[in-house]
Amino acid sequence: MKFFIDTANLAQIKEAQALGVLDGVTTNPSLMAKEGISGKENILQHYRDICELVDGDVSAEVIATDFENMVKEGEELAALNPQIVVKLPMIADGVKACKYFSDKGIKTNVTLVFSVGQALLAAKAGATYMSPFLGRLDDVSTDGLHLISEIRHIYDNYGFETQILSASVRHTMHVINCAKIGSDVMTGPLSSITGLLSHPLTDSGLAKFLEDYKKGN
Ligand code: E4P
């Protein structure tokens, strides 16, 4: 399973990249705003900066909600760097724009997916990635992981190449369960990645090894 980090924070992206396990980055307008990045030129520059830090795909979301402007904005984003994946909302014009970009060989990420029907549409439109928001479903007492397993089943039935990018991951158990289901990618905060490191037996075991080494040296 690929690990993407879901942030626009350059220090956190650097930290995940330094760990050697990062496959890409996802951003959204809220994450950009959280870092205080506003204004078209600053936003475009921030995407360039993120691409400099990582080797993998970087999702950059369009703001437009109509086909024509989504295409215009998406083309501008895609021209920034070959790593850029045009992120499009799961609305009718987003599906049309997804088909347009996939026909042109430009990578896409269809975002804000909350149902199997939406996931099916994204795959039919040739999306590179399709992002079901599991944490936000859990927030409203709906089983986000169940949605991901249903999508996995349907995509496997037909051999769809669209990658399931489990998004809105909040913690390590989401990561582990996404891996069990066979999600192609997960995107979450830095803590959902670094949290996988922690085990008290690792810490106590290492302390004991070092203590015993010191005794003999
Ligand atoms: C997906 O690409 C989104 O950026 C993200 O995962 C949303 O997560 P949230 O529900 O924690 O805001």
Side-chain angles (χ1 to χ4, degrees):
M1 183 169 71
K2 291 183 201 166
F3 278 17
F4 287 2
I5 189 168
D6 195 30
T7 186
N9 182 289
L10 299 181
Q12 290 182 14
I13 294 170
K14 262 187 216 163
E15 191 177 333
Q17 174 70 20
L19 198 56
V21 299
L22 192 67
D23 300 296
V25 178
T26 52
T27 62
N28 64 41
S30 306
L31 293 171
M32 292 296 259
K34 196 173 160 195
E35 300 308 316
I37 313 295
S38 60
K40 188 177 165 188
E41 283 315 313
N42 292 333
I43 291 173
L44 295 181
Q45 186 53 45
H46 204 69
Y47 287 134
R48 285 191 201 97
D49 294 344
I50 293 174
C51 290
E52 285 281 303
L53 293 179
V54 297
D55 304 320
D57 286 347
V58 175
S59 287
E61 189 159 343
V62 301
I63 302 300
T65 52
D66 64 287
F67 174 75
E68 204 176 302
N69 284 306
M70 277 180 179
V71 164
K72 203 172 144 209
E73 216 183 309
E75 279 176 343
E76 204 171 350
L77 289 168
L80 290 176
N81 189 298
Q83 287 167 259
I84 292 285
V85 176
V86 180
K87 200 172 178 189
L88 301 155
M90 171 36 79
I91 55 176
D93 281 29
V95 173
K96 286 184 211 166
C98 177
K99 174 78 177 123
Y100 171 89
F101 286 120
S102 15
D103 285 349
K104 286 189 83 176
I106 291 174
K107 288 177 282 187
T108 52
N109 174 0
V110 174
T111 189
L112 290 165
V113 170
F114 293 95
S115 75
V116 282
Q118 292 177 327
L120 195 49
L121 277 176
K124 294 282 293 175
T128 314
Y129 299 104
M130 175 284 310
S131 296
F133 277 33
L134 84 102
R136 290 194 194 185
L137 280 170
D138 287 356
D139 288 345
V140 294
S141 314
T142 303
D143 189 349
L145 287 165
H146 180 67
L147 171 66
I148 291 165
S149 64
E150 284 193 310
I151 297 170
R152 177 74 286 156
H153 181 77
I154 290 172
Y155 278 16
D156 287 349
N157 278 349
Y158 298 99
F160 283 123
E161 284 178 13
T162 297
Q163 295 179 53
I164 301 174
L165 196 175
S166 297
S168 189
V169 158
R170 302 276 168 78
H171 49 70
T172 53
M173 281 315 291
H174 275 159
V175 178
I176 291 163
N177 285 318
C178 283
K180 281 186 187 169
I181 291 167
S183 178
D184 299 289
V185 192
M186 79 83 200
T187 190
L190 180 62
S191 59
S192 69
I193 299 173
T194 54
L196 297 169
L197 283 166
S198 307
H199 200 287
L201 290 177
T202 304
D203 298 340
S204 59
L206 181 61
K208 179 82 173 93
F209 285 157
L210 295 177
E211 189 189 313
D212 290 345
Y213 172 82
K214 274 184 205 152
K215 280 182 201 159
N217 289 279

